[in-house]
Amino acid sequence: MLDKKMTLGQLRAKKGVEKITAITAYDALMAHIFDGEVDILLVGDSLNMSFGGNNDTLNLTTEEMIYHTKAVCRAVKHSFLIADMPFGSYITTKEALKNARKFYKHTRADAIKLEVGIEKYALIKALCDEGFAVMAHIGLKPQFMRFDGGFKIKGKQEAQCNELIECALAMQEAGAFGILIEGVTKQTGHAITQAIKIPTIGIGAGVDCDGQILVWSDAFGFFDTFQPKFVRRYCDGKSMLKEAIRAYAKDVKSCAFPSDRESY
Ligand code: KIV
């Protein structure tokens, strides 16, 4: 359990020393439970799927992300807090700066995350030069799922692995403080992590990344529409809640709830 606020400097210093722990949070209730138990909390745009009930992350707006980020911020005192910039909010450098500013003006997020390729070098540099702490998300990029025709694992071929290493190096050069690597082979996750000086956080990217992140509703068994290979379930949240809601409904039907003790 963290007893103080996690800083960017402390996160950077963990590379090669201690694994970084991270999980998503989308609301104050969960953020309150997770805060301080992991180094990083990410208000991920994956909320558009697990919580919004959509098939992808693409129709999420900046305003919706800010709403969720504000809620998480209210509960977080210890973990380092990163907010995802949604699809379409950073097409040009000008729009990226404008929308990133909204995150910093309206929330207390410590950093922002953008899904990028090497072509976004100048955009990421402009954000960093302006004082934004940026995490670059590479590999499988869910915001590209319609372009890619689904969620496709990357880095299987040597050329693709080399491209990803080049991209990570460019993002480091641009000023990103960390790289989130999603959906690549274990070898590619290892190669990227070895090639750069800033920390890598992996999701479906093998054990050699500097840290790991999971989407909380996957990790705790609340989202079971599909289960990617990289997810480990730490509890069966859906069954637990199903049992609880059925017990509650049964008690109401049978007048077992509320009891006199629960009445005024
Ligand atoms: O939106 C999200 O939850 C993510 C995951 C890859 C961690 O970016």
Side-chain angles (χ1 to χ4, degrees), residues 30-246:
M30 288 300 141
H32 189 67
I33 298 172
F34 302 154
D35 183 36
E37 303 294 345
V38 286
D39 300 313
I40 296 175
L41 285 177
L42 169 72
V43 189
D45 60 357
S46 54
L47 68 87
N48 203 47
M49 298 172 73
S50 50
F51 281 73
N54 295 287
N55 291 329
D56 56 40
T57 58
L58 304 185
N59 62 344
L60 189 66
T61 65
T62 298
E63 284 62 38
E64 286 167 330
M65 271 308 296
I66 286 176
Y67 171 84
H68 284 275
T69 306
K70 274 170 139 173
V72 172
C73 284
R74 281 181 208 117
V76 171
K77 291 192 170 54
H78 299 101
S79 301
F80 189 83
L81 205 153
I82 307 177
D84 255 346
M85 286 190 63
F87 176 74
S89 66
Y90 51 96
I91 291 174
T92 63
T93 298
K94 196 172 164 201
E95 280 171 319
L97 286 165
K98 185 174 133 218
N99 288 316
R101 228 172 269 132
K102 285 187 191 166
F103 276 90
Y104 271 23
K105 288 260 185 253
H106 299 296
T107 81
R108 285 188 295 102
D110 298 303
I112 46 174
K113 174 167 83 61
L114 293 82
E115 296 182 14
V116 294
I118 200 159
E119 70 288 345
K120 287 280 194 270
Y121 171 84
L123 186 149
I124 295 297
K125 185 164 182 344
L127 285 171
C128 296
D129 287 350
E130 213 50 53
F132 293 100
V134 177
M135 173 166 269
H137 180 151
I138 68 170
L140 188 163
K141 295 176 286 186
Q143 292 180 8
F144 284 69
M145 79 86 85
R146 290 187 201 166
F147 178 83
D148 284 346
F151 298 110
K152 300 274 166 59
I153 300 304
K154 306 286 178 181
K156 285 185 178 166
Q157 298 87 18
E158 200 184 334
Q160 210 175 48
C161 171
N162 290 337
E163 250 174 56
L164 288 168
I165 294 173
E166 229 180 283
C167 178
L169 284 166
M171 293 306 136
Q172 172 177 273
E173 162 74 24
F177 73 87
I179 306 285
L180 188 141
I181 313 173
E182 178 167 2
V184 303
T185 62
K186 184 180 170 191
Q187 289 73 18
T188 298
H190 174 83
I192 298 169
T193 302
Q194 291 300 306
I196 59 176
K197 295 193 181 75
I198 53 176
T200 59
I201 309 293
I203 177 161
V207 72
D208 296 328
C209 294
D210 297 307
Q212 298 292 329
I213 187 164
L214 281 175
V215 169
W216 84 262
S217 42
D218 291 341
F220 304 141
F222 286 92
F223 184 71
D224 64 355
T225 309
F226 58 88
Q227 185 181 345
K229 177 183 161 88
F230 61 78
V231 171
R232 185 179 294 179
R233 284 222 172 116
Y234 286 87
C235 71
D236 186 359
K238 185 174 172 181
S239 302
M240 246 164 51
L241 271 193
K242 270 277 185 212
E243 212 175 289
I245 186 72
R246 283 178 183 155

